[in-house]
Amino acid sequence: MSIASALRSRTAEPVMTRQPNEFDLMRVSRSLEQRERYKYVTPKVLSVADGYLVRSPCCSRNIDPEGGEIDVALLTWDEARREWSLARRDHEADCWVEDGRFARLGELLMRLNADPARQFWQ
């Protein structure tokens, strides 16, 4: 190893990821208690790369006839754009569909909790 590369590796700042973190994980979990749909089930919030995955039992049995857990929403932070992305699960196509982008996590959570067209909580 050359002296220059040794100095670069010693002075390089550690890469810090903004998301996921424990504070926002709890914030998302607590916010979901205010949702308007399927208030009688307890969703799970899991940490994933750059954000959070919301999973919930399928009480309507529209997606899973046996009532198993289904993916509800994917919340991801885009560091380059400095914004949040909210995606909903298209269960028929088995893919994520972007629902919107938000400057603040609170705005995203309001959208997810309201869900007027029942696109998330099915």
Side-chain angles (χ1 to χ4, degrees):
M1 175 185 298
S2 72
I3 295 174
S5 63
L7 286 174
R8 275 195 303 272
S9 66
R10 198 171 1 151
T11 60
E13 293 182 29
V15 176
M16 300 293 289
T17 58
R18 182 176 178 137
Q19 296 297 335
N21 64 62
E22 289 184 33
F23 177 78
D24 285 335
L25 178 67
M26 287 303 296
R27 185 175 172 200
V28 172
S29 297
R30 287 188 179 145
S31 174
L32 291 177
E33 295 171 4
Q34 305 304 312
R35 69 189 181 281
E36 295 180 21
R37 307 237 181 256
Y38 299 110
K39 294 182 104 168
Y40 46 87
V41 297
T42 305
K44 290 181 184 176
V45 181
L46 308 170
S47 297
V48 296
D50 299 323
Y52 309 94
L53 171 66
V54 178
R55 296 187 53 111
S56 180
C58 182
C59 290
S60 69
R61 310 217 185 233
N62 291 337
I63 308 301
D64 184 347
E66 297 177 11
E69 279 192 348
I70 61 168
D71 293 338
V72 173
L74 182 62
L75 296 65
T76 53
W77 172 252
D78 185 332
E79 186 66 38
R81 292 182 179 197
R82 313 246 340 130
E83 66 184 5
W84 285 96
S85 174
L86 174 61
R88 59 185 159 78
R89 189 71 177 170
D90 182 336
H91 296 279
E92 288 182 19
D94 195 28
C95 66
W96 290 103
V97 177
E98 185 176 76
D99 186 76
R101 293 185 172 267
F102 303 85
R104 294 185 171 86
L105 181 58
E107 296 168 349
L108 179 151
L109 293 171
M110 287 185 344
R111 165 73 180 117
L112 176 59
N113 284 339
D115 191 22
R118 289 186 56 199
Q119 295 178 317
F120 294 94
W121 304 97
Q122 302 176 23

